[in-house]
Amino acid sequence: MDGGAQYNPRTVEEVFRDFKGRRAGMIKALTTDVEEFYQQCDPEKENLCLYGFPSEQWEVNLPAEEVPPELPEPALGINFARDGMQEKDWLSLVAVHSDAWLLAVAFYFGSRFGFDKADRKRLFNMINDLPTIFEVVTGAAKKQVKEKSSVSNHSSNKSKPSSKAKGSESQGKYLKTSQIKDDEEGLDEEDEDEHGETLCGACGENYASDEFWICCDICEKWFHGKCVKITPARAEHIKQYKCPSCSNKRARP
């Protein structure tokens, strides 16, 4: 397995970039690509691992043959538990092990290239500012945002008008970037904080005011338009939006 063997980040920023790329790939496997990931984790196959790559891609494959491996290895045999538990619980378990592997890889690079105490602390703080894969997959990160904002949240912030024209008076499935500016001055900072902590259900990244977002009508998770391949023009013609995960859901034995 060449999960980063040919690319060795040497600075804190490079290691963090490597971490984010691998993390994005694994989140994709467990959310937007979950149907494909589920099918690849056949319990009848040998011990399989979930790998994330700096290129934001993922792969289910056998562990590395070399001993010791070039990088720490992810959890072995994730496919064996697939049919022995509920899908959401199995995905949560894979997410936890994926978080542990990402930290192991990041601090492997830190040790290999001699990061001192200050560098290690800075790297950890950068990583810790991102929600874990487990939090993204289970929706815990979104719940934390809701709980934080519920005290001062107004009913208008939660309303979802049927019109979906970006930039119009009713933003529908979009994060309301223009509405933030139109709200009373006393509420501006609260709304911006709430939106700023909204996480994409596909990549797990935070909200940015210059990006197009869309909300799934089924699971109510928010997504970057680019992550789910939805443009503002296309969204105007969607009466009920279903994210890739909800669209692919089917009853499983």
Side-chain angles (χ1 to χ4, degrees):
M1 173 54 56
D2 64 349
Q6 299 178 351
Y7 168 65
N8 291 321
R10 295 174 179 270
T11 68
V12 172
E13 288 73 20
E14 287 176 343
V15 172
F16 181 60
R17 194 180 308 121
D18 179 274
F19 175 93
K20 286 181 66 179
R22 296 178 190 275
R23 171 180 171 275
M26 300 179 96
I27 288 176
K28 192 182 300 181
L30 299 173
T31 55
T32 56
D33 296 347
V34 68
E35 187 77 10
E36 181 182 354
F37 172 69
Y38 185 93
Q39 295 298 331
Q40 290 190 25
C41 291
D42 186 348
E44 298 300 319
K45 295 182 180 179
E46 298 182 47
N47 291 299
L48 295 175
C49 303
L50 171 61
Y51 293 89
F53 299 110
S55 60
E56 300 187 6
Q57 300 302 309
W58 61 273
E59 180 181 50
V60 171
N61 209 332
L62 296 172
E65 295 181 359
E66 64 268 24
V67 178
E70 176 67 20
L71 289 177
E73 283 292 302
L76 183 67
I78 57 171
N79 51 315
F80 295 146
R82 192 195 74 175
D83 294 345
M85 55 202 307
Q86 291 189 3
E87 181 182 346
K88 66 177 182 178
D89 294 330
W90 175 67
L91 292 174
S92 297
L93 179 63
V94 176
V96 169
H97 284 295
S98 298
D99 283 320
W101 179 67
L102 287 177
L103 286 171
V105 171
F107 282 88
Y108 164 82
F109 285 130
S111 296
R112 180 174 178 180
F113 297 112
F115 287 7
D116 59 19
K117 181 178 180 180
D119 286 338
R120 293 193 303 271
K121 182 177 182 180
R122 186 156 64 94
L123 175 60
F124 177 79
N125 287 337
M126 293 168 74
I127 291 173
N128 202 39
D129 282 340
L130 295 174
T132 63
I133 296 179
F134 175 81
E135 289 172 335
V136 173
V137 170
T138 61
K142 182 178 178 182
K143 291 177 183 176
Q144 291 171 9
V145 172
K146 284 186 176 181
E147 289 172 0
K148 183 176 180 181
S149 61
S150 61
V151 176
S152 59
N153 191 30
H154 289 238
S155 59
S156 60
N157 291 338
K158 303 305 293 181
S159 64
K160 293 184 176 180
S162 58
S163 175
K164 299 181 180 180
K166 182 173 176 63
S168 64
E169 293 180 358
S170 56
Q171 293 293 327
K173 298 290 102 180
Y174 307 131
L175 282 181
K176 298 174 277 299
T177 57
S178 60
Q179 183 178 349
I180 294 175
K181 297 179 181 179
D182 296 336
D183 285 342
E184 297 179 3
E185 293 182 1
L187 297 176
D188 281 352
E189 293 184 2
E190 293 176 2
D191 285 348
E192 288 174 1
D193 289 342
E194 177 185 349
H195 295 318
E197 293 177 349
T198 301
L199 305 172
C200 175
C203 69
E205 295 299 317
N206 292 78
Y207 164 77
S209 60
D210 60 345
E211 294 180 305
F212 168 70
W213 284 54
I214 189 167
C215 180
C216 175
D217 284 298
I218 307 302
C219 65
E220 295 188 348
K221 289 183 179 180
W222 289 95
F223 298 86
H224 290 108
K226 63 183 181 181
C227 289
V228 291
K229 297 181 173 61
I230 298 292
T231 64
R234 181 181 174 188
E236 291 180 6
H237 303 287
I238 299 177
K239 294 183 178 180
Q240 183 185 56
Y241 174 67
K242 290 183 180 181
C243 69
S245 180
C246 291
S247 297
N248 292 330
K249 277 184 178 178
R250 59 182 178 82
R252 296 193 176 100

